Amino acid sequence: MYQRSRRMPRPALTRLPSPARTRGVVLLLHGGAQYGEQPITRRSLPHLRMLHLAAVVHGAAARHGIAVWTLRNRFRGWNAPRLDPVRDARWAMARLRARHPEVPVALVGHSMGGRVAIRLAEDPQVTAVCALAPWTTDAEWVSPLRGVRTLIVHGCEDDVTSPESSYAFASRAAEVTTVARFELPGEGHRMLRRAPTWNRLVRAFVLESFGLAHPDPIVARAWQRTEGDRLRLTVAAGGRTG
């Protein structure tokens, strides 16, 4: 699918294995831009951001048999109509399937990576999707998420991707699957101001997605909520939810 060439970048995977028998895999997908042919290097900030999150997830889940993979795309851009990051993610899923056939997969994507995760949710191995500050549009598909439990987290001060767009998307997705969505007051797009809260939510999402017992009920309570708007859950600066 991808030609070996000194001039043509290739996607790459960073794998953090589990010391136990692998019972699930988390695949992390980084952000980018609408257009861009610049290669993603090992030091690209979107990639480094997800490597940090991968370490957080691995520290919590590895002993339970969860491996953590991080994809580094070839190019910075979405680059329609080629959809380069979608192609790269499918390449990653093919390799994941070859190494770990039939185990459930949870996708975690930031920004453009959230959009990729939504597209990739149609893969039969994918059982859960976490989209962080996702890039969504009015025309974004929800059909790939059918039957795939979905968590969306968005900073209220995000000026790169629209929190209102992700709310509208979550409302449509709720018609085909179970969706919860958290809003973080005071947070922007890059997940820097309230990094511990992002870490907490993703960590809880991963453990809950694989049915692992954990002491943090923040995500589990979101699925169980029957009153109020489950798509406008708020995590205050002190960690309280509303």
Side-chain angles (χ1 to χ4, degrees), residues 47-71:
H47 175 57
L48 291 176
R49 188 175 295 122
M50 299 312 281
L51 285 178
H52 168 76
L53 199 53
V56 170
V57 171
H58 189 254
R63 66 183 181 275
H64 300 291
I66 307 303
V68 182
W69 292 27
T70 306
L71 172 65

Side-chain angles (χ1 to χ4, degrees), residues 51-120:
L51 285 178
H52 168 76
L53 199 53
V56 170
V57 171
H58 189 254
R63 66 183 181 275
H64 300 291
I66 307 303
V68 182
W69 292 27
T70 306
L71 172 65
R72 175 161 55 89
N73 294 335
R74 293 168 298 149
F75 304 112
R76 181 170 181 261
W78 178 255
N79 298 334
R82 295 198 319 250
L83 309 188
D84 288 321
V86 177
R87 293 180 63 197
D88 293 344
R90 287 176 176 154
W91 171 90
M93 281 297 300
R95 276 145 185 80
L96 191 158
R97 185 178 298 106
R99 181 168 294 200
H100 301 294
E102 300 182 2
V103 304
V105 176
L107 302 176
V108 178
H110 174 245
S111 191
M112 183 182 74
R115 191 177 200 182
V116 175
I118 291 164
R119 295 291 180 98
L120 215 64

